[in-house]
Amino acid sequence: MQPRGGPLLPPVFDAFCDFEPLPLNCEAWPVSEPHSGGAVQEFHSSLATSNSSDWNWPTRPVVFVSDPHADAESFLRSLVAAGVICRTGAGLADFTLTGFGHLAHVVVGGDCLDKGPSNLDMLDTLSALFATGAKVTLLAGNHDLRLMLAVRALATPRNPLTEHLFVRMGRKALPLLREVWHRFGSDQRLTRLPSEAKCRERICPSESWFDEFPKAAAPHLAPEAINKELRRLREKGSQFTQNVADAGLTMREVFGAALLCHELFLQPTGPYHWFFQRMDVILQTGSVLFVHAGLDDSMCELLVQDGPAAVNTRFRRDAKRDLFAFYFGPIANLVRTKYRASDKVLTDHGVRLLHQAGLKLVVQGHVNNHNGQRLLAKRGLLHLEADVTLDRASRAREGLSGIGAGATLIYPSGDIIGLSSDYPKAKHFHPHCVGLQAQMPQPRAQQKEFA
């Protein structure tokens, strides 16, 4: 079906860069297709429950872009595709807000860091977006928090609960460490660092860690989760030395880069101190909750009883306390869960609380997809998976070509549009129009309405 109005993409989109073309036509969200939803019976059951009471929609359009993973160009292309910015040059900070961009609420769904091609470029571009005066909410992702926890762990006395956190980041964090060392490191800093062997010893868990960790973690984690952590560390630990060499680094440079990250990100005078300071863990607007990964019952209770501000306040408070309890507790579960047996549990009780409070849809990142966004029910709660594999490193490993682009747009009308360069049409969902082909909304026309 041809959408109403003009083309989805503004003409400036291809003015300064080659790109994977985004869709020009719109279709009803194909929820019966596995790549866009699947588990149709559960989806319709959850949708019927949600539709049994009124939906409340945001008062301004929301543009959700998640998991850019250090690919600033894909992030900018996504904002252009959504109509938020206009590129004015080839540089990563050469853009201005459109009329729609001035009115929209941009939600960055987490995982700005790791993978590549450039973490620092991504952070500088995000800073430039803040500088435009756009309304932006930055959510925490598991990759973002892992950096914070790992560098803090290196700066505190070793103990069995935290000494593995740095290696646990694995190879995906090494591009950031390499960038930080190359931009901010120096021969003078290198001479002040311990020997290669001492740095390796400080970075890697001790020989006794595999025996000590299960005992120390027993009060905090179920046996299955403890065993999973041990398996991960055996895998990542055995590969880490080679990963460091493949990244062109020494253990001294890795250790030096970690100390620099502590200065850059965690010290008030650091140029990237703003990154964690501006970070929330959830955003609720009407019936929609934005979060990196998902929920458990305890977070549902806190959210319903005390509101989203209380959840974000607890996030900031707990992040400054016990590292292990925070990372494996219910707050960090918001950025880590995939509703696995080892994750905090979301049951009918939590979902019922959310529905009674009018919260009906979770919009998340964290689970990357190859054919655009997915809309499905998880644990009886509607979820929209909006990680559309933007970064070039992931795309190359997973057989996707080019630089990704995509965004999820949610309008005050209740229309939701999923855009992705990896799916031929824009996907449209409205909770009261599932399966209807008529009167398909046109995103650019709606943007003009708000401009």
Side-chain angles (χ1 to χ4, degrees), residues 60 84 97 101-102 104-106 129-137 278:
R60 62 198 299 171
V84 172
L97 292 180
H102 279 287
H105 184 174
V106 178
L129 179 63
F130 281 119
T132 65
K135 182 174 177 58
V136 182
T137 295
R278 297 198 69 149

Side-chain angles (χ1 to χ4, degrees), residues 110 127 337 411:
S127 179
T337 186
Y411 293 96

Side-chain angles (χ1 to χ4, degrees), residues 133-155:
K135 182 174 177 58
V136 182
T137 295
L138 173 63
L139 298 181
N142 55 308
H143 286 260
D144 308 319
L145 292 189
R146 284 197 321 214
L147 172 72
M148 179 181 70
L149 296 176
V151 298
R152 283 184 58 201
L154 280 186

Side-chain angles (χ1 to χ4, degrees), residues 406-420:
T408 302
L409 296 91
I410 301 176
Y411 293 96
S413 62
D415 293 296
I416 299 176
I417 300 293
L419 292 172
S420 169

Side-chain angles (χ1 to χ4, degrees), residues 130-393:
F130 281 119
T132 65
K135 182 174 177 58
V136 182
T137 295
L138 173 63
L139 298 181
N142 55 308
H143 286 260
D144 308 319
L145 292 189
R146 284 197 321 214
L147 172 72
M148 179 181 70
L149 296 176
V151 298
R152 283 184 58 201
L154 280 186
T156 57
R158 287 168 70 88
N159 72 74
L161 291 178
T162 59
E163 67 182 73
H164 68 297
L165 291 180
F166 194 88
V167 171
R168 196 186 188 285
M169 289 195 301
R171 62 172 173 79
K172 294 175 184 177
L174 290 173
L176 169 60
L177 297 172
R178 182 176 61 234
E179 286 181 67
V180 165
W181 183 254
H182 286 169
R183 185 181 294 191
F184 298 100
S186 66
D187 291 340
Q188 185 178 12
R189 278 184 177 271
L190 192 63
T191 59
R192 296 199 299 264
L193 295 174
S195 67
E196 182 79 0
K198 288 291 185 182
C199 288
R200 183 189 308 276
E201 181 180 325
R202 187 66 184 86
I203 288 170
C204 299
S206 62
E207 291 290 334
S208 61
W209 181 84
F210 287 93
D211 295 324
E212 295 171 351
F213 176 77
K215 301 171 188 175
H220 305 277
L221 296 180
E224 181 178 350
I226 292 173
N227 290 332
K228 182 178 181 180
E229 200 68 8
L230 292 172
R231 288 195 303 271
R232 283 189 172 181
L233 260 293
R234 287 192 180 96
E235 294 170 0
K236 292 186 176 183
S238 65
Q239 300 167 357
F240 192 70
T241 299
Q242 187 60 50
N243 294 153
V244 169
D246 291 343
L249 296 169
T250 65
M251 283 293 183
R252 292 181 77 204
E253 291 169 334
V254 169
F255 186 64
L259 297 180
L260 277 167
C261 284
H262 197 280
E263 295 177 24
L264 297 171
F265 289 91
L266 302 183
Q267 297 300 318
T269 56
Y272 297 109
H273 183 250
W274 60 266
F275 180 60
F276 290 112
Q277 291 301 301
R278 297 198 69 149
M279 197 174 278
D280 287 329
V281 73
I282 64 165
L283 171 70
Q284 181 182 352
T285 174
S287 297
V288 184
L289 182 75
F290 299 90
V291 64
H292 182 66
L295 295 156
D296 78 315
D297 281 357
S298 68
M299 287 297 100
C300 294
E301 292 170 355
L302 180 60
L303 176 62
V304 170
Q305 291 171 9
D306 297 330
V311 179
N312 287 322
T313 297
R314 182 170 167 186
F315 163 66
R316 292 187 177 87
R317 182 198 71 191
D318 289 4
K320 297 176 182 177
R321 297 182 176 180
D322 183 277
L323 299 181
F324 184 84
F326 169 70
Y327 189 69
F328 289 98
I331 284 288
N333 187 71
L334 292 165
V335 307
R336 297 176 60 241
T337 186
K338 291 184 179 177
Y339 301 111
R340 300 158 293 200
S342 58
D343 294 325
K344 302 294 181 184
V345 178
L346 176 64
T347 69
D348 291 344
H349 166 69
V351 173
R352 187 164 52 251
L353 285 176
L354 296 179
H355 282 154
Q356 290 171 354
L359 208 159
K360 303 168 184 287
L361 173 67
V362 171
V363 179
Q364 62 162 103
H366 193 48
V367 181
N368 71 304
N369 296 298
H370 291 181
N371 289 277
Q373 296 84 343
R374 298 180 75 223
L375 182 62
L376 67 165
K378 300 180 184 181
R379 302 295 191 270
L381 181 65
L382 294 176
H383 284 65
L384 196 161
E385 294 178 350
D387 175 0
V388 293
T389 316
L390 297 180
D391 70 281
R392 277 166 271 186

Side-chain angles (χ1 to χ4, degrees), residues 6-210:
L8 281 173
L9 301 180
V12 73
F13 187 80
D14 62 346
F16 296 102
C17 53
D18 295 327
F19 64 95
E20 294 295 312
L22 270 87
L24 296 176
N25 298 320
C26 197
E27 70 176 9
W29 202 293
V31 292
S32 62
E33 298 294 331
H35 62 73
S36 290
V40 178
Q41 185 174 353
E42 184 180 1
F43 168 79
H44 282 286
S45 175
S46 298
L47 180 61
T49 302
S50 296
N51 283 342
S52 64
S53 60
D54 291 339
W55 287 72
N56 293 312
W57 296 102
T59 57
R60 62 198 299 171
V62 177
V63 175
F64 185 80
V65 179
S66 191
D67 297 74
H69 280 299
D71 198 326
E73 182 61 39
S74 71
F75 179 66
L76 288 175
R77 295 183 188 200
S78 299
L79 294 178
V80 170
V84 172
I85 64 170
C86 175
R87 303 287 289 272
T88 58
L92 294 176
D94 295 337
F95 59 87
T96 59
L97 292 180
T98 64
F100 177 73
H102 279 287
L103 292 173
H105 184 174
V106 178
V107 181
V108 183
D111 278 1
C112 291
L113 302 181
D114 288 354
K115 300 184 181 180
S118 174
N119 291 266
L120 299 182
D121 280 354
M122 177 63 217
L123 293 175
D124 292 341
T125 298
L126 184 58
S127 179
L129 179 63
F130 281 119
T132 65
K135 182 174 177 58
V136 182
T137 295
L138 173 63
L139 298 181
N142 55 308
H143 286 260
D144 308 319
L145 292 189
R146 284 197 321 214
L147 172 72
M148 179 181 70
L149 296 176
V151 298
R152 283 184 58 201
L154 280 186
T156 57
R158 287 168 70 88
N159 72 74
L161 291 178
T162 59
E163 67 182 73
H164 68 297
L165 291 180
F166 194 88
V167 171
R168 196 186 188 285
M169 289 195 301
R171 62 172 173 79
K172 294 175 184 177
L174 290 173
L176 169 60
L177 297 172
R178 182 176 61 234
E179 286 181 67
V180 165
W181 183 254
H182 286 169
R183 185 181 294 191
F184 298 100
S186 66
D187 291 340
Q188 185 178 12
R189 278 184 177 271
L190 192 63
T191 59
R192 296 199 299 264
L193 295 174
S195 67
E196 182 79 0
K198 288 291 185 182
C199 288
R200 183 189 308 276
E201 181 180 325
R202 187 66 184 86
I203 288 170
C204 299
S206 62
E207 291 290 334
S208 61
W209 181 84
F210 287 93

